[in-house]
Amino acid sequence: MEKISVQQLNFFYGAKQALSDISLDIEDRKITALIGPSGCGKSTFLRCLNRMNDTIPGTRVTGQILLDGENIYAPDTDVIGLRSRVGMVFQRPNPFPQSIFDNVAFGPRVLHTHRENGLAPVVEASLQQVGLWDEVKDILRQDALRLSLGQQQRLCIARAIAVKPEVILMDEPCSALDPIATLEVEELMRILRANFCIVIVTHNMQQAARVSDRTGFFWLGKLVETDATETMFTRPSNKLTEDYITGRAG
Amino acid sequence: MPRKTFELELAQLETEMLTMAAQVENALTEAVDILERRDMDAARALIARDHDINAQRFAIEAQCLVVVATQQPMASDLRVVAAILFNVNELERIGDYAKGIAKINLLIGPGPLLKPLVDIPRMAELTRSMLHRAIDAFVRRDVALARVIPAEDDQVDALFEQVNHDLIQMIIADPSVTRQANLLTWAAHNLERAADRVTNLCERVIFTVTGELIELDTDEASPLE
């Protein structure tokens, strides 16, 4: 069952077209990885999924992105509401310069989803889900920036899921992490898959192969091929995909 | 070429597999030649050389794992490495069949054979030729060639049946020849099995090129299967 259906999406930075005619169904409770060389449009595509590109002046979108059947680019879309349904985790861990507790409580506070005295269970549940609770339960008031990078990134994921999103977008979530922290985040993604639709952009093809259920390959603003991950990395249909994943193009 | 080191490592793996295949091919025809010549020393030497073939198989297998661990091959590259891993196992087994024929030679001993060998050398030549072309098909990634070779296994099977039939007739006529006739049947059976393994090598050519694992059936299975 698809959570997101992208239909004939085109995206422009001013006169420059960054995405051309992208159509892709993204399934719920699955991990979809987007791979491709730098500048191929995969991050731009990811940012279209929660309208993060709206903040960049001079950009333009045509086509449709349906979230549960509703076009997120419809004029009456509540963009703040959309971003609480479609959360995002960035390349570098970006905890706010606040305590661990306040980082996780940030979204529920801003969106007024919980009373102040109801925040603790949300914070605990979110930290439990990302496997960080046992590590930080005694230091919840400590500055989040004192955590290791891997812990910071899991904290950012906890912050994203605290507002109970339906979709989590991850833009190179492990590129700043060491190999062990990377594997921890990948394990976490597999656990979160049970409850969320996850889309990850990664330069690391082995990561895409390890963690995702489906993989899409972007090249020069086009979606060249999408298939089950195990098929993409053992026998892709398209020559360009083959050349890219075997390291002969890109 | 962005992956020059990797390309060289893959090419090296393939070359080593070819070297091993050439030795197995020689062992196969030599084993039957030695059987015909009743050469006990050559049989012992062939048995000893099988250790080299086995050692090559382990060395190639180890190198395949190094390539997987260090280069993380994907897609067609991964299939090449997987096929080489599989092929060296098959080649090693074909080498064992050749060694088996040499052992049969020693068991028969230096005395004369019941009759001049006709069909067994034909089986050996057919199997050698199939093996040679299967390896050639792999090197050239020639799916069409890989698809036609297994049909020739029927000829090997037919010759095996003929050998079997002839030797049974000889046993019926003179039960005192039973031991040698039985040993010669085993020699023919080894060749028949070797040809079956060539079919497996052909299947891996198709896998390497297309990613599809399909069975290339020959018309008839061995009567002993």
Side-chain angles (χ1 to χ4, degrees), chain A residues 89-100:
Chain A
V89 176
F90 297 90
Q91 199 164 351
R92 284 197 67 81
N94 57 351
F96 302 133
Q98 299 174 334
S99 71
I100 293 165

Side-chain angles (χ1 to χ4, degrees), chain A residues 205-207 209 231-236 241-242 245-250, chain B residues 1-3 6-7 10 71-79 210-212:
Chain A
M205 282 186 287
Q206 277 71 37
Q207 178 170 65
T231 306
M232 282 287 273
F233 287 99
T234 54
R235 44 184 180 130
T241 315
E242 167 88 30
I245 65 173
T246 58
R248 292 180 177 82
Chain B
M1 185 78 67
R3 302 195 71 183
F6 175 53
E7 300 274 353
L10 260 191
Q71 298 286 352
Q72 290 101 38
M74 294 279 194
S76 59
D77 293 335
L78 181 60
R79 299 201 299 271
T210 68
E212 287 175 68

Side-chain angles (χ1 to χ4, degrees), chain A residues 115-149:
Chain A
R115 292 171 184 276
E116 191 62 33
N117 60 9
L119 286 172
V122 178
V123 170
E124 179 177 343
S126 303
L127 290 169
Q128 289 275 16
Q129 276 198 75
V130 301
L132 205 54
W133 176 250
D134 287 342
E135 294 165 53
V136 302
K137 65 185 177 194
D138 299 325
I139 51 168
L140 288 172
R141 297 295 163 187
Q142 182 187 294
D143 186 348
L145 293 168
R146 287 172 61 188
L147 295 173
S148 72
L149 274 180

